[in-house]
């Protein structure tokens, strides 16, 4: 207990906030030119979107958790790859999360069409920090359950059984991703905090990037 207390006392304010809240908006890391290039690149690659569809609920061996999902992923082109491995972005993510050993793992664009969704889930173990921003204006907020930070698969399975894969009310809340034209991105604990996206009513594109804590 003494060692834990000492570790807590040595945490940076950013790390303490991250461990408590699991998300932070990082401003001024996405230039207008870079955003435009990524948006155009995604539009050109829409025909290459790979469906991401499954109907199961499962706790995986790596600690991630999944419920049904229906959307698609667009593999990154040069513009997005350059951002995903950008040293200045990495430095900003490390600073704002207080996690100094993060390394980038690449990115992709999630494509949502009318009716698409992602049920309550955790990202893979590679996503200690997920960084995201919207390529389309008005993308609905995703569901967010910070009170279940680091919950086990057994606990999450019971949550889905009791509340469904799009839980609402009580401690369940939402998290909005910035529209990239504003220059900001949102970092969140993709592997730690359960999140979901209710069925959408119009097409939307979301950039996601993974950062792993060594």
């Amino acid at each position: 207990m003494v060692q834990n207390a000492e570790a807590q006392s040595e945490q940076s304010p950013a790390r303490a906030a991250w461990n408590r809240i699991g998300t932070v908006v990082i401003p001024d890391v996405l230039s207008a030119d870079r955003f435009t290039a990524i948006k155009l690149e995604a539009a050109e690659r829409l025909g290459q979107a790979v469906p991401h569809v499954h109907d199961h609920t499962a706790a995986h061996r790596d600690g991630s958790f999944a419920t049904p999902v229906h959307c698609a992923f667009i593999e990154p082109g040069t513009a997005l790859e350059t951002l995903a491995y950008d040293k200045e972005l990495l430095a900003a993510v490390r600073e704002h999360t207080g996690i100094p050993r993060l390394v980038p793992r690449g990115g992709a664009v999630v494509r949502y069409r009318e009716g698409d969704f992602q049920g309550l889930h955790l990202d893979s173990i590679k996503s200690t920090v997920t960084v995201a921003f919207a390529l389309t204006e008005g993308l609905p907020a995703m569901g967010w359950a910070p009170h279940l930070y680091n919950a086990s698969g057994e606990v999450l399975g019971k949550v889905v059984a009791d509340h469904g894969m799009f839980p609402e009310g009580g401690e369940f809340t939402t998290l909005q991703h910035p529209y990239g034209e504003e220059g900001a991105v949102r970092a969140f604990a993709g592997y730690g905090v359960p999140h979901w996206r209710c069925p959408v009513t119009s097409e939307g594109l979301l950039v996601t990037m993974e950062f792993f804590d060594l």
Side-chain angles (χ1 to χ4, degrees), residues 10-214:
E10 294 173 359
Q11 283 183 353
S12 69
R15 184 59 180 268
W18 180 262
N19 289 345
R20 185 177 69 255
I21 302 170
T23 186
V24 63
V25 172
I26 305 175
D28 304 323
V29 290
L30 186 60
S31 70
D33 288 347
R34 178 168 271 175
F35 170 73
T36 298
I38 293 172
K39 188 170 183 176
L40 289 173
E41 182 177 79
E44 293 169 353
R45 300 165 72 89
L46 284 177
Q48 302 174 35
V50 178
H52 180 54
V53 179
H54 64 72
D55 299 316
H56 67 274
T57 295
H60 298 139
R61 293 179 65 183
D62 69 354
S64 60
F65 182 85
T67 59
V69 58
H70 195 294
C71 60
F73 283 89
I74 302 171
E75 292 296 317
T78 302
L80 179 50
E81 279 285 312
T82 302
L83 174 64
Y85 290 95
D86 182 80
K87 291 182 178 179
E88 291 185 5
L89 175 62
L90 176 60
V93 175
R94 287 173 171 175
E95 176 186 354
H96 282 79
T97 62
I99 308 176
R101 300 189 303 171
L102 288 173
V103 294
R105 299 284 302 184
V109 177
V110 186
R111 182 187 189 184
Y112 295 101
R113 298 171 117 171
E114 184 175 356
D116 281 354
F117 63 88
Q118 290 198 49
L120 183 147
H121 67 282
L122 296 174
D123 295 340
S124 81
I125 195 171
K126 298 174 184 178
S127 292
T128 307
V129 177
T130 303
V131 173
F133 60 91
L135 286 179
T136 48
E137 292 186 86
L139 185 70
M142 71 179 187
W144 180 247
H147 64 292
L148 296 173
Y149 206 152
N150 292 328
S152 68
E154 181 180 0
V155 169
L156 297 182
K158 188 174 188 309
V159 168
V160 172
D162 292 344
H163 301 279
M165 63 182 185
F166 308 120
E168 294 181 338
E171 295 181 277
F172 300 107
T173 184
T174 59
L175 202 64
Q176 186 71 53
H177 294 303
Y179 177 50
E181 192 173 53
E182 301 164 0
V185 300
R186 179 177 290 281
F188 62 96
Y191 178 68
V193 179
H195 49 285
W196 58 96
R197 192 172 301 281
C198 295
V200 300
T201 58
S202 61
E203 180 152 328
L205 298 174
L206 178 74
V207 169
T208 65
M209 295 169 284
E210 295 181 339
F211 293 82
F212 179 62
D213 183 12
L214 292 175

